[in-house]
Each structure stands twice: as structure tokens, then as C-alpha cells.
Amino acid sequence: MRMAMALVLFGSVTAGAQEQAALATLQGVNDILVRSAHEGLTHSALGLQIESRLRSDGLFAERGAAKCGRLYVEVIRLGAAGFANAAYEVRVSLEEPVTLDRSPGVTAHAVTWRESRRVGDFDAVVAADAVIDAVDVQLDSFVHSVRGQ
């Protein structure tokens, strides 16, 4: 059991270095998929905000462009249904096409970057702006990762 945990920790460190190298060659994002459980945020409105942000950072590419990934943004409601107060988990991840050593001619998709952030503490209603702020913080982190900052 201890050996397995040590391998997982080592793998995480190695994956971080590989992730940084892989993100350096990313040309941009050419697809954004949004899922929002927040009542005040529609999928399309949040998706347009994210696309606008990525365009302003020079990281949005048209569909079909080479060396691009797909950005997933999920706003997940935490807690029991029926209560006005809730917390949300905001997850942002990048998925890219990859080839596997064991199957060189086959392309699969894998998450190459991920970050999540919790918003709210169940004591009050979480405003849509607070969720958007959490998405912006994660997009900042994504942009810095791509640019190697």
C-alpha cells in the first residue's frame, strides 16, 4: 500500500512537468462545453463569456484548427436539493487528442489540465457573479499554464 502511494505521488510530480511541456505547444481552444447547475447562469451565456475571454487572451481558435483542445466548464451544485442556500464546485478542464504508445494509429482524448474551486459555504445564496469570478480565476490559471508563467 505504501509503495503504491509513493508511485502515485511521484507520478503526480512527473505529470506536472509533462503537462507544462505539453501546454507550451497548445495553439488554443477550439471548443467550449459548459454545464451549469446554477439557476442564474445559462450554459450559453457562460459559454459566450468564456469564449470572449479566451479570444481576448489569443487562445480561442476556430473549429478544426490543429494543436487545439476542448475546454470543459462545469458548475456543480453541492448539497441537498430543495434548499435555497448551496455551495458550488466549479471545474475547468482541458481535453486534447492524444495517441497511445500501445496503439500508435489510434487517437483518444485525455484531460491534460484541470482545476476546481469551491464557491459558497451553504450559509447564503451564491450569486451568479461569485461563480463567474471563480471561473475567471481558473481561466487565469489556465492562461498562465499555457504561457508557461
Side-chain angles (χ1 to χ4, degrees):
M1 180 69 143
R2 287 185 190 164
M3 184 175 181
M5 287 175 41
L7 291 174
V8 168
L9 290 174
F10 178 73
S12 297
V13 172
T14 304
Q18 291 172 342
E19 170 187 298
Q20 191 66 35
L23 288 175
T25 61
L26 182 72
Q27 298 291 314
V29 170
N30 61 5
D31 196 12
I32 300 168
L33 300 171
V34 177
R35 188 179 76 181
S36 175
H38 192 285
E39 299 80 23
L41 290 173
T42 64
H43 307 295
S44 59
L46 188 55
L48 289 172
Q49 280 188 291
I50 294 165
E51 181 180 331
S52 175
R53 166 66 193 278
L54 292 174
R55 281 187 190 279
S56 71
D57 287 325
L59 289 176
F60 190 81
E62 298 307 318
R63 286 186 186 256
K67 296 186 180 179
C68 290
R70 182 181 339 182
L71 201 67
Y72 284 93
V73 178
E74 296 177 281
V75 178
I76 302 163
R77 182 184 167 100
L78 305 173
F83 290 96
N85 298 348
Y88 293 86
E89 182 174 348
V90 179
R91 296 178 186 164
V92 178
S93 57
L94 176 71
E95 186 179 272
E96 296 181 84
V98 296
T99 55
L100 305 175
D101 286 343
R102 69 175 187 265
S103 304
V106 177
T107 300
H109 288 83
V111 172
T112 58
W113 183 91
R114 177 181 299 160
E115 188 169 298
S116 65
R117 179 174 299 271
R118 190 172 177 177
V119 180
D121 57 10
F122 301 103
D123 290 339
V125 174
V126 176
D129 288 344
V131 174
I132 291 170
D133 289 346
V135 170
D136 281 340
V137 167
Q138 291 174 326
L139 290 176
D140 285 341
S141 179
F142 173 68
V143 169
H144 289 308
S145 294
V146 170
R147 295 199 172 130
Q149 299 172 340

